[in-house]
Amino acid sequence: MSSPSLFDRATDHMIALQESILAAVEELEGGASFRRDDWEREEGGEGDASNPAAPILRGWGRTRVIENGRFFERGGVNLSVVEGRFGSVAPTHMPGDGHQFRAVGVSLVLHPHNPFAPTVHMNYRRMERGSTGWFGGGADLTPNYLFEEDARHFHTTLKTVCDAHPGVANHTAMKEECDRYFTIPHRGEMRGVGGIFFDHMMTQPEESFAFLRDASQAFIPAYLPIARRRDNTPFEPHHRQWQLLRRGRYVEFNLVNDRGTQFGLRTGGRIESILMSMPANASWAYDHHPAPGSDEARMVAALQPRDWTA
Amino acid sequence: MSSPSLFDRATDHMIALQESILAAVEELEGGASFRRDDWEREEGGEGDASNPAAPILRGWGRTRVIENGRFFERGGVNLSVVEGRFGSVAPTHMPGDGHQFRAVGVSLVLHPHNPFAPTVHMNYRRMERGSTGWFGGGADLTPNYLFEEDARHFHTTLKTVCDAHPGVANHTAMKEECDRYFTIPHRGEMRGVGGIFFDHMMTQPEESFAFLRDASQAFIPAYLPIARRRDNTPFEPHHRQWQLLRRGRYVEFNLVNDRGTQFGLRTGGRIESILMSMPANASWAYDHHPAPGSDEARMVAALQPRDWTA
């Protein structure tokens, strides 16, 4: 009997990861809160038919969305397992060769109601193309108000995981990659306080997989203590208004800059799963600048790369 | 004495156009409602410095924004006059040659409070690159609820202008171009009921300019009667919620698909002027479908190309 492939083992991990995160989040919520939407897709494209790079996809997934929960206003914790082949134009920027690829991953975005509780994002995945396979992913935190202890806790938890896997993970490099990736170029600011991000991790596959398991499971200790700390903090309408403006920036980043969202929208991915990252509500205002010295100004000043583990 | 260039005459027209539209909108509002923000920009880039195609720009503009007006929730009527030169990589998809270009245009987006009043967009411009110059632009209407007489009025008014300039304007072609341009590929629907759109109008410059003048001035008779008709229509919270979801789609189109927005954001344009097209508020909900037979479902069914002048 042959042992299961790394892809299959990664799939088993992602299935279990999604379940454990859902259980932890529902405990915070105080009850079953996620809408469960299992999907399966026969081979066939949707979306932008004029795009010769659009792949034909098939696969299955478990979309788990929360809307108007006790703690979370909107979000999702999604599992997807897809295989496909690129159309006439295979991408040159992706490792591996040929037109066949497959991917398994868990993708999470959660937007709390409370303006003092940060939005969080996490995505970990295994991809294979031709005979080449790799891991990628990361997690980042997007507060509306700066609590330095929250940023420190999030970063320190992720650093501990990286430091436990020195053969494959370098926290400094992954933290800097995250700072770069989650910068909104047209705003000259990060969308939050960062975290870690990496891609194309392909050497030492066993050690890489061990790191991926630990990093993805660290979501619970990295984020939930922060959520509990900010739960029930009283807030005023002006805090909510600021949160909505910051969510406008989140929307800008995701729709203009996020490579995963762009790839999904342009290649016929499942729209409702891709756009579960959108907040329930977002606002825009002309040339808005927080008052100097305000809590809002302190937050904006922190949207630049900073060492949160010092 | 040499006669003024077409660019200078187009600039004079745009200045007067902006003033006349502002006056008409403020009459609807019942008073001075626009914030006036004049800007001037010395030569120098902002934005995405890693983009070798980013042009160096200088110029001036008159940004006029309205927020929380009597009738309009948010919007802008902006004039800009810029000249620039492309960086090391000059675009190959743009007419003309060389690295120098200049542009003058008026750009308008207005989002009413009332869910029964449609959002409207208009943009007309003169561009020149090297020794080549051209006109472009158009206008489109985005209702949240379908009033067939509104769509017919808007389209018929624009058709009348096109039909008066048969040497340069073909309403059928311009209407179809608009249907194509304002389709959201990942949603498989138009963002509204369309209008007209054209670009690269470069032969017969005098007749083209006459058409541009008439088409841009037709904004007032095309839109304002619709706005007056829907003013003060009573609405319920569920109408507002639907409006916010439709505004989410508007945001998706503008940030993901709109070429002007993408160009502006990636080439260091003035962010606040570019993003005046964003609504004050927008919402997203998972897998939302209006009830069959509802007014909302009737609206969605109308977001496909249709002849509104028949």
Side-chain angles (χ1 to χ4, degrees):
Chain A
M1 246 170 65
S2 67
S3 56
S5 73
L6 202 47
F7 192 87
D8 290 339
R9 289 163 58 210
T11 303
D12 288 344
H13 167 69
M14 296 297 181
I15 291 169
L17 174 71
Q18 184 190 33
E19 287 303 317
S20 66
I21 291 174
L22 288 170
V25 171
E26 292 193 333
E27 193 191 324
L28 173 72
E29 284 284 326
S33 311
F34 282 85
R35 171 171 165 186
R36 287 161 154 70
D37 197 352
D38 293 343
W39 56 271
E40 200 163 339
R41 180 159 159 191
E42 296 299 314
E43 197 154 312
E46 286 176 6
D48 188 355
S50 68
N51 179 358
I56 307 296
L57 291 170
R58 65 179 183 180
W60 59 278
R62 295 175 180 172
T63 294
R64 300 289 181 266
V65 290
I66 183 167
E67 290 188 313
N68 208 17
R70 184 195 68 83
F71 184 81
F72 290 109
E73 187 177 7
R74 186 164 195 257
V77 183
N78 295 347
L79 166 76
S80 70
V81 188
V82 298
E83 57 178 68
R85 51 173 201 279
F86 295 108
S88 54
V89 181
T92 54
H93 60 275
M94 187 184 279
D97 50 74
H99 287 238
Q100 299 288 132
F101 67 93
R102 58 181 177 165
V104 55
V106 165
S107 196
L108 172 159
V109 176
L110 292 166
H111 299 284
H113 286 287
N114 194 306
F116 296 114
T119 288
V120 66
H121 159 254
M122 184 203 87
N123 168 262
Y124 288 99
R125 56 190 176 267
R126 166 78 182 171
M127 288 203 69
E128 296 184 356
R129 181 187 181 196
S131 55
T132 307
W134 64 94
F135 294 103
D140 74 299
L141 193 72
T142 306
N144 308 300
Y145 287 94
L146 181 63
F147 295 91
E148 298 200 352
E149 66 269 35
D150 292 355
R152 275 199 301 272
H153 172 79
F154 190 78
H155 279 275
T156 304
T157 307
L158 297 176
K159 182 176 190 301
T160 302
V161 174
C162 293
D163 291 351
H165 297 273
V168 295
N170 177 321
H171 177 260
T172 303
M174 289 179 173
K175 188 267 184 196
E176 288 174 1
E177 182 68 21
C178 187
D179 288 346
R180 267 193 301 276
Y181 185 84
F182 289 108
T183 289
I184 313 176
H186 62 267
R187 295 290 189 179
E189 65 185 30
M190 290 167 59
R191 79 170 183 187
V193 295
I196 61 169
F197 185 77
F198 63 95
D199 203 0
H200 304 159
M201 182 182 278
M202 56 179 71
T203 59
Q204 300 169 268
E206 285 300 331
E207 178 61 15
S208 296
F209 183 36
F211 166 68
L212 185 104
R213 281 197 304 267
D214 286 356
S216 58
Q217 285 166 346
F219 168 78
I220 294 171
Y223 180 72
L224 288 192
I226 297 172
R228 277 189 217 102
R229 205 141 66 193
R230 304 302 154 209
D231 200 356
N232 297 318
T233 308
F235 61 90
E236 304 291 327
H238 72 95
H239 298 121
R240 171 69 174 167
Q241 192 50 43
W242 173 246
Q243 178 195 47
L244 293 175
L245 290 172
R246 295 309 310 170
R247 289 196 171 154
R249 302 290 171 99
Y250 206 88
V251 168
E252 287 177 29
F253 176 84
N254 283 22
L255 295 183
V256 177
N257 303 109
D258 184 58
R259 290 197 292 261
T261 303
Q262 293 265 334
F263 180 82
L265 293 180
R266 294 186 194 287
T267 57
R270 188 169 183 274
I271 301 308
E272 293 299 332
S273 300
I274 297 166
L275 294 184
M276 67 92 183
S277 65
M278 294 291 106
N281 295 288
S283 291
W284 283 264
Y286 181 73
D287 208 20
H288 184 276
H289 298 284
S294 64
D295 289 343
E296 290 79 9
R298 262 184 75 235
M299 181 72 250
V300 172
L303 299 174
Q304 303 295 334
R306 184 187 295 190
D307 181 0
W308 290 105
T309 59
Chain B
M1 247 171 64
S2 66
S3 58
S5 72
L6 202 48
F7 191 88
D8 290 340
R9 290 162 58 211
T11 302
D12 288 344
H13 167 69
M14 295 297 180
I15 291 170
L17 174 71
Q18 186 191 31
E19 287 304 316
S20 66
I21 290 174
L22 289 170
V25 171
E26 291 193 332
E27 193 191 324
L28 173 70
E29 283 285 327
S33 311
F34 281 85
R35 172 171 163 184
R36 286 160 155 70
D37 198 352
D38 293 344
W39 55 272
E40 199 163 340
R41 181 160 158 188
E42 296 299 314
E43 196 153 311
E46 288 177 5
D48 188 355
S50 68
N51 179 358
I56 307 296
L57 292 170
R58 65 177 183 182
W60 60 277
R62 295 176 181 172
T63 295
R64 301 291 181 263
V65 289
I66 184 167
E67 291 189 311
N68 208 17
R70 185 195 68 83
F71 184 81
F72 290 109
E73 187 177 6
R74 187 164 195 256
V77 183
N78 295 346
L79 166 77
S80 69
V81 188
V82 298
E83 58 178 68
R85 52 173 201 279
F86 296 109
S88 54
V89 180
T92 54
H93 60 275
M94 186 184 280
D97 50 74
H99 287 237
Q100 298 288 132
F101 67 92
R102 57 180 177 166
V104 55
V106 165
S107 197
L108 173 160
V109 176
L110 292 166
H111 298 285
H113 287 288
N114 195 308
F116 296 114
T119 287
V120 66
H121 159 254
M122 183 202 88
N123 167 261
Y124 288 99
R125 56 191 175 265
R126 167 79 181 170
M127 288 202 70
E128 297 185 354
R129 180 186 181 195
S131 55
T132 308
W134 65 94
F135 295 103
D140 74 299
L141 193 71
T142 306
N144 308 300
Y145 286 94
L146 181 63
F147 294 92
E148 298 200 352
E149 66 269 36
D150 292 354
R152 274 199 302 272
H153 173 80
F154 190 78
H155 278 275
T156 304
T157 306
L158 296 176
K159 182 177 190 302
T160 302
V161 174
C162 293
D163 291 351
H165 297 274
V168 295
N170 177 322
H171 177 260
T172 303
M174 289 180 172
K175 188 266 185 198
E176 287 175 2
E177 182 67 22
C178 188
D179 289 346
R180 267 191 301 276
Y181 185 84
F182 289 108
T183 289
I184 312 176
H186 61 267
R187 295 290 189 180
E189 66 186 29
M190 290 167 59
R191 79 170 182 186
V193 295
I196 61 169
F197 186 77
F198 62 98
D199 203 357
H200 304 160
M201 183 182 278
M202 56 179 70
T203 60
Q204 299 168 267
E206 284 301 331
E207 179 61 15
S208 296
F209 183 36
F211 166 67
L212 186 104
R213 280 197 304 267
D214 287 355
S216 58
Q217 285 164 348
F219 168 78
I220 294 171
Y223 180 72
L224 288 192
I226 297 171
R228 277 189 216 103
R229 206 141 67 196
R230 305 301 154 209
D231 199 356
N232 298 316
T233 308
F235 62 89
E236 304 291 326
H238 72 94
H239 298 121
R240 171 70 174 167
Q241 191 50 44
W242 173 246
Q243 178 195 48
L244 294 175
L245 290 172
R246 295 310 309 169
R247 290 199 170 151
R249 301 290 170 99
Y250 205 88
V251 168
E252 288 178 27
F253 176 83
N254 283 22
L255 295 183
V256 176
N257 302 110
D258 185 58
R259 291 196 292 261
T261 303
Q262 294 265 334
F263 180 81
L265 292 181
R266 293 185 194 288
T267 57
R270 188 168 184 275
I271 301 308
E272 293 299 332
S273 301
I274 297 166
L275 293 184
M276 68 91 185
S277 65
M278 295 290 106
N281 296 288
S283 292
W284 283 266
Y286 181 73
D287 208 20
H288 184 275
H289 299 285
S294 65
D295 289 342
E296 291 79 9
R298 261 184 77 236
M299 181 72 251
V300 172
L303 299 175
Q304 302 295 334
R306 184 188 295 190
D307 182 0
W308 291 104
T309 59

